[in-house]
Amino acid sequence: MKNILSYSIALISAIAITAFTFSTTGYEPGSEAADFKLKNTDGKMVAMADYKDAKGFIVIFTCNHCPYAMKYETRINALDSMYKAKGYPVIAINPNDTINYPDDSYSEMVKRAKDKHFTYPYLIDVTQQTAKAYGAIKTPHAYILQKEKGKLIVKYIGAIDDNYDDASKVTQKYVESAMSEILSNKEISVKTTKAIGCGIKWYK
């Protein structure tokens, strides 16, 4: 009985540690980001390695149905327009559970990308492993990566700006400010902010 009790306590402790580890995993500024290979709305597989001339990337976890994500679609297009030619294209990734949230299904992604004239790849993270590796928890959740000696180094994590509801009332453009400093070869002054949006819908 004593052995069974000890085993049970050890098992519960292990589960608790695992849960804690999962909740605190993900990248931080300075982390090396792993590449991914995910399906785009044009049917092609996309990896960051495909962008031979890129200096880095603006990776944004987003989706179709979240009202926060929808508010940012035009602004994400604008980011791609501003920085793609400078070597930092936008790559958007939808990590949501598509079974319980069919509005985020691949077929709906294809429609939305076309209807909203997305200028950037919009990829589906079917296994959710990419979102978990990054530590993304919201839609939208932005990451700026920079190539350094063949590695992709995380430079910024968090919100796109400080007003999801009204672009005309934004006072802090976090991604743009970070990109301006990167392009000026300066140290990023604000490396993390709190991402504001819907929680990512994880498969049960």
Side-chain angles (χ1 to χ4, degrees), residues 75-85 88-90 119-121:
R75 280 176 266 183
I76 295 173
N77 257 357
L79 289 173
D80 190 50
S81 177
M82 281 189 282
Y83 299 114
K84 181 161 53 181
Y88 291 83
V90 166
T119 61
Y120 47 86

Side-chain angles (χ1 to χ4, degrees), residues 66-144:
C66 170
Y68 294 86
M70 289 189 283
K71 289 278 188 177
Y72 275 105
E73 288 170 335
T74 299
R75 280 176 266 183
I76 295 173
N77 257 357
L79 289 173
D80 190 50
S81 177
M82 281 189 282
Y83 299 114
K84 181 161 53 181
K86 297 177 181 179
Y88 291 83
V90 166
I91 297 179
I93 300 173
N94 173 15
N96 272 357
D97 169 359
T98 61
I99 295 173
N100 292 302
Y101 299 87
D103 285 347
D104 287 330
S105 68
Y106 179 74
S107 61
E108 292 299 317
M109 287 172 60
V110 172
K111 291 178 184 177
R112 192 150 194 92
K114 182 178 180 180
D115 291 345
K116 296 296 180 178
H117 307 289
F118 290 173
T119 61
Y120 47 86
Y122 186 27
L123 315 180
I124 186 165
D125 184 9
V126 175
T127 66
Q128 302 186 317
Q129 290 306 306
T130 299
K132 290 176 181 178
Y134 274 66
I137 58 172
K138 298 288 185 179
T139 54
H141 205 148
Y143 294 73
I144 297 176

